């Protein structure tokens, strides 16, 4: 046994001495951590020079030549792939909640496929700053390198998203810039909102970092994307030497963007873009939305959300005005489901926002059927209903910790504006629909359409009620809005002209119409 161990010790010692001799024959430079490469003929080796300690900054993609001073490290897994996987998705419509949703879904798929590069194919005139800011923050924190190919336009919110990408490529004739915040009418909003957008554009440009330039032995740090230029795309008051004078909002052509560091290349297509960075063989994967994705994207569109709000409010009002009809409240319930469900699935709406909406409806029903008059419960119900609908449209990041930025307030104001306007239109449409629909032959069963003639046994209304106009009395019962009043010692059926009237309150007969007296409180 001892003999066997002695022989094993001699073998291990001999192997160690052989390894030491091999290492001593190598260059004294740091050991290469990359996989061993086959030997090359010294005469055929690449004679290009690279500074000690430099490494490729092309995110592991072959063909890029940009270098920066970085500590040596292991080779990226992307460099070991035979064919890089390039993932492409489009931003070719107005920036809004559906595009923010598409961005998250596209990156989730790209990450699951272990993509080496994501390219955004962009052609947009802008859109909602809130959605654009969410996309911008997402891109700045993305683990996968992101390039943007500006197919034609990257205006306003599109410019913000483009600057957040690692590299910008533009098609000949494309434009980028004009990021001033405007309202729905195209007019500039107050400066407090512009101030927030200026800071956002500047911070996005600064997030791209600085380049190290060595000229004649002097080291200089310069911004990769000049923050002053990004800010000038918002504020016409800014002056940037050799770029833009005051009084103009900055917009770059492709050539101007190249000259000022806001474009890495002018190409005609995505394949040409990949060729430009040295990728000749690759696997291309494009984002393909499912049918459900398209449906959800449609339902969370602000215009469609506005229509759903109109149906919700109009249906509730229609049903309250014509109890027992049925279909208006069913339509309102379906619209509420279509409104809240997609927003909840997308993380915009929380359960408590739906509960606020539901509490608003309950308070309004309590006001109508349980509490006479129109007071605290009714007002609180309306406020809760509008608040629940509006907050559901807003990304919860905006109201997180109740720290409202200028843009956050702007987003909330827009959401409340959409809800209030849609509710008003819904009420108007409901009133008009009730007057038209219930009088048609198709809905004759819902209304009294038979002539009640005396010769057929029907009794006429006492014409004495016409003489009561102008007289005063008191409410014999609660008028909600119909009830009974006591006038000159006699009881008459009556209806409140405005709101509700409690029992015992003084009333005055305002008018007589279609066999009914109408009263008001005095």
């Amino acid at each position: 046994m001892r003999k066997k161990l002695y022989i094993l010790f001699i073998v291990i010692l001999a192997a160690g001495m052989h390894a030491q001799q091999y290492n001593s024959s190598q260059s004294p430079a740091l050991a290469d951590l990359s996989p061993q490469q086959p030997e090359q003929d010294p005469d055929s080796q690449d004679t290009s020079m690279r500074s000690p300690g430099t490494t490729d900054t092309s995110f592991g993609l072959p063909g890029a030549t940009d270098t920066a001073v970085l500590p040596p490290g292991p080779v990226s897994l992307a460099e070991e792939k035979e064919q890089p996987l390039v993932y492409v998705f489009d931003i070719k419509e107005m920036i809004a909640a559906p595009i923010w949703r598409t961005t998250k879904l596209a990156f989730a798929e790209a990450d699951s496929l272990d993509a080496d590069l994501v390219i955004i194919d962009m052609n947009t005139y802008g859109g909602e700053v809130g959605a654009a800011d969410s996309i911008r923050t997402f891109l700045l924190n993305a683990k996968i390198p992101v390039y943007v190919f500006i197919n034609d336009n990257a205006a306003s919110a599109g410019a913000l998203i483009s600057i957040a990408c690692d590299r910008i490529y533009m098609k000949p004739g494309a434009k980028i810039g004009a990021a001033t915040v405007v309202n729905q009418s195209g007019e500039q909003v107050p400066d407090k909102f512009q101030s927030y957008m200026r800071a956002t554009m500047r911070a996005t440009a600064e997030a791209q970092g600085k380049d190290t330039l060595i000229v004649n032995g002097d080291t200089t740090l310069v911004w990769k994307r000049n923050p002053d230029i990004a800010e000038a795309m918002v504020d016409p008051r800014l002056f940037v030497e050799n770029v833009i004078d005051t009084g103009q909002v900055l917009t770059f052509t492709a050539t101007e963007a190249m000259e000022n560091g806001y474009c890495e290349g002018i190409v005609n297509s995505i394949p040409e873009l990949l060729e430009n960075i040295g990728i000749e063989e690759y696997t291309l994967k494009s984002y393909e939305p499912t049918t459900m994705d398209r449906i959800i994207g449609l339902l969370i569109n602000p215009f469609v959300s506005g229509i759903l709000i109109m149906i919700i409010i109009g249906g509730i009002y229609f049903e309250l005005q014509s109890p027992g009809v049925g279909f208006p409240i069913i339509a309102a319930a379906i619209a509420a489901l279509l409104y809240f469900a997609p927003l909840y699935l997308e993380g915009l709406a929380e359960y408590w926002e739906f509960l606020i909406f539901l509490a608003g409806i309950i308070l309004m029903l309590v006001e109508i059927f349980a509490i006479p008059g129109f007071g605290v419960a009714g007002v609180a119900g309306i406020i809760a209903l509008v608040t629940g609908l509006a907050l559901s449209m807003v990304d919860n990041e905006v109201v997180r910790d109740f720290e409202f930025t200028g843009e956050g307030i702007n987003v909330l104001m827009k959401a409340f504006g959409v809800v209030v306007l849609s509710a008003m239109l819904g009420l108007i449409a409901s009133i008009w629909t009730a007057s038209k629909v219930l009088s048609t032959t198709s809905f004759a069963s819902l209304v009294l359409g038979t002539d009640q003639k005396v010769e057929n046994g029907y009794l006429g209304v006492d014409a004495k009620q016409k003489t009561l106009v102008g007289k005063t009395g008191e409410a014999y019962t609660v008028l909600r809005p119909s009830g009974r009043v006591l006038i000159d010692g006699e009881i008459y059926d009556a209806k409140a002209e405005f709101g509700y009237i409690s029992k015992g309150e003084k009333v005055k007969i305002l008018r007589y119409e279609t066999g009914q007296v109408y009263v008001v409180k005095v």
Side-chain angles (χ1 to χ4, degrees), residues 410-429:
N410 191 26
V411 171
L412 285 172
M413 289 176 61
K414 286 183 178 180
F416 276 97
V418 169
V419 172
V420 172
L421 178 61
S422 299
M424 292 176 62
L425 292 176
L427 288 174
I428 294 172

Side-chain angles (χ1 to χ4, degrees), residues 390-421:
L391 291 181
S392 298
M393 299 178 66
V394 179
D395 193 333
N396 292 303
E397 292 296 323
V398 175
V399 295
R400 184 180 59 184
D401 299 327
F402 299 98
E403 294 178 1
F404 298 113
T405 61
E407 178 54 30
I409 295 175
N410 191 26
V411 171
L412 285 172
M413 289 176 61
K414 286 183 178 180
F416 276 97
V418 169
V419 172
V420 172
L421 178 61

Side-chain angles (χ1 to χ4, degrees), residues 326-345:
F327 74 85
I329 197 64
I330 294 175
I334 294 174
L337 178 64
L338 295 176
Y339 178 82
F340 282 102
L343 295 174
Y344 180 81
L345 292 174

Side-chain angles (χ1 to χ4, degrees), residues 46 103 137 157 179 184 194 209 248 253 288 329 368 371 390 421 447 467 475 489 504:
D46 186 6
T103 301
T137 304
Q184 299 295 330
Q194 306 293 353
Q248 304 175 43
T253 64
E288 296 292 340
I329 197 64
I368 293 172
I371 304 175
L421 178 61
V447 296
T467 65

Side-chain angles (χ1 to χ4, degrees), residues 91 93-95 122-129 132 150-163 170 174-180 197 201 233 249-252:
I91 295 182
E93 56 187 273
M94 296 299 288
I95 308 299
M122 177 178 288
N123 183 14
T124 180
Y125 288 101
E128 296 181 2
V129 180
I150 301 176
N151 213 331
D152 192 13
N153 294 291
S156 191
L160 175 61
I161 294 172
S162 297
I163 297 173
M170 301 177 69
K175 292 87 62 184
I176 179 173
T180 303
M197 187 60 177
M201 291 286 285
M233 292 182 179
V249 175
L250 179 60
T251 299
F252 277 149

Side-chain angles (χ1 to χ4, degrees), residues 206-243:
E206 290 178 352
Q208 299 303 329
K210 295 181 178 181
D211 281 326
T212 302
L213 298 182
I214 301 177
V215 181
N216 297 327
D218 295 330
T219 302
T220 305
L221 295 177
V222 296
W223 291 108
K224 292 181 179 179
R225 293 184 188 149
N226 187 346
D228 292 337
I229 290 178
E231 191 173 353
M233 292 182 179
V234 180
D235 195 344
R237 299 171 299 179
L238 294 183
F239 166 77
V240 181
E241 188 175 0
N242 299 324
V243 178

